[in-house]
């Protein structure tokens, strides 16, 4: 090569691009670190509303309470025999860490929220009121609860490792 360059790649690396940057729109401020120019277009483009009044609690943190209204979904990929009807005819099942009692006539749900990790198994007592649910986790828990009131009847801990994968009433 005549230019003393061994390859096209090396020539590309040595090439100087002389493209000019697009001029900044709006006010430009000189930054003292290295002499670069910086623009702040929002500073002049955004104005506070004229009729805006700050609320008395505007500088306080908002409330952080949440209420579960409805659970969308169902755990089926690794759980079996996990949908039952209770004695009132409501559908009892689970999703994530929630035991759900669904009234299909009113399209409403009631929730059992005592689990701390995902529920992976469930069993309905033959009286069709009492439910047992088991969860995954380092120290998995079995919760025995009443499907009509969602009252926790018993909590069994310390007997399993990693997950409770199957439950049954005798």
């Amino acid at each position: 090569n005549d230019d003393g360059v061994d390859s096209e790649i090396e020539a590309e690396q040595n090439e100087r691009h002389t493209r000019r940057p697009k001029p900044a729109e709006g006010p430009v401020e000189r930054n003292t670190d290295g002499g670069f120019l910086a623009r702040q277009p929002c500073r002049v483009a955004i104005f506070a509303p004229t009729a805006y009044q700050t609320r008395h609690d505007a500088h306080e943190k908002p409330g952080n309470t949440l209420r579960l209204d409805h659970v969308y979904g169902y755990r089926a990929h690794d759980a079996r025999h996990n949908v039952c009807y209770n004695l009132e005819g409501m559908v009892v099942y689970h999703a994530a860490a929630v035991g759900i009692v669904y009234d299909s006539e009113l399209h409403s749900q009631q929730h059992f929220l005592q689990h701390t990790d995902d529920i992976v198994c469930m069993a309905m007592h033959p009286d069709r009121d009492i439910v047992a649910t088991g969860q995954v986790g380092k120290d998995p828990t079995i919760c025995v609860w009443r499907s009509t009131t969602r009252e926790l009847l018993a909590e069994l801990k310390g007997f399993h490792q990693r997950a409770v994968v199957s439950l049954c009433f005798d």
Side-chain angles (χ1 to χ4, degrees):
N1 195 349
D2 297 354
D3 300 332
V5 178
D6 291 336
S7 70
E8 289 180 23
I9 295 172
E10 193 173 329
E12 234 178 71
Q13 290 173 346
N14 292 334
E15 188 176 310
R16 301 268 186 232
H17 296 284
T18 57
R19 193 177 69 167
R20 298 178 124 200
K22 187 176 180 181
E25 297 173 11
V28 178
E29 296 179 4
R30 181 169 294 280
N31 185 347
T32 58
D33 300 334
F36 292 105
L37 296 178
R39 65 183 171 126
Q40 297 177 351
C42 294
R43 183 177 288 177
V44 295
I46 298 176
F47 301 98
T50 55
Y52 179 74
Q53 294 181 359
T54 304
R55 289 180 39 170
H56 66 21
D57 61 350
H59 301 291
E60 297 175 14
K61 287 195 281 184
N64 61 352
T65 57
L66 296 175
R67 185 177 63 86
L68 181 61
D69 285 331
H70 197 88
V71 175
Y72 295 91
Y74 165 74
R75 187 175 188 125
H77 71 282
D78 62 353
R80 303 290 178 265
H81 307 292
N82 54 359
V83 177
C84 302
Y85 285 95
N86 71 2
L87 64 104
E88 295 177 342
M90 295 189 189
V91 182
V92 181
Y93 64 103
H94 60 86
V98 181
I100 303 160
V101 181
Y102 174 66
D103 185 342
S104 60
E105 291 179 9
L106 300 176
H107 189 58
S108 65
Q109 292 179 341
Q110 298 169 354
H111 306 108
F112 176 76
L113 302 170
Q114 299 297 317
H115 281 283
T116 57
D117 211 330
D118 286 0
I119 300 171
V120 291
C121 63
M122 180 180 87
M124 176 75 75
H125 190 274
D127 72 3
R128 294 182 25 203
D129 183 23
I130 297 173
V131 178
T133 47
Q135 72 181 41
V136 299
K138 184 179 177 184
D139 186 26
T141 304
I142 298 171
C143 291
V144 180
W145 50 284
R146 199 173 294 281
S147 68
T148 52
T149 62
R150 291 151 342 275
E151 170 193 3
L152 179 65
L153 302 175
E155 187 174 32
L156 307 170
K157 285 184 175 185
F159 301 103
H160 299 88
Q161 297 175 359
R162 292 197 273 307
V164 178
V165 295
S166 182
L167 292 168
C168 184
F169 283 100
D170 189 14

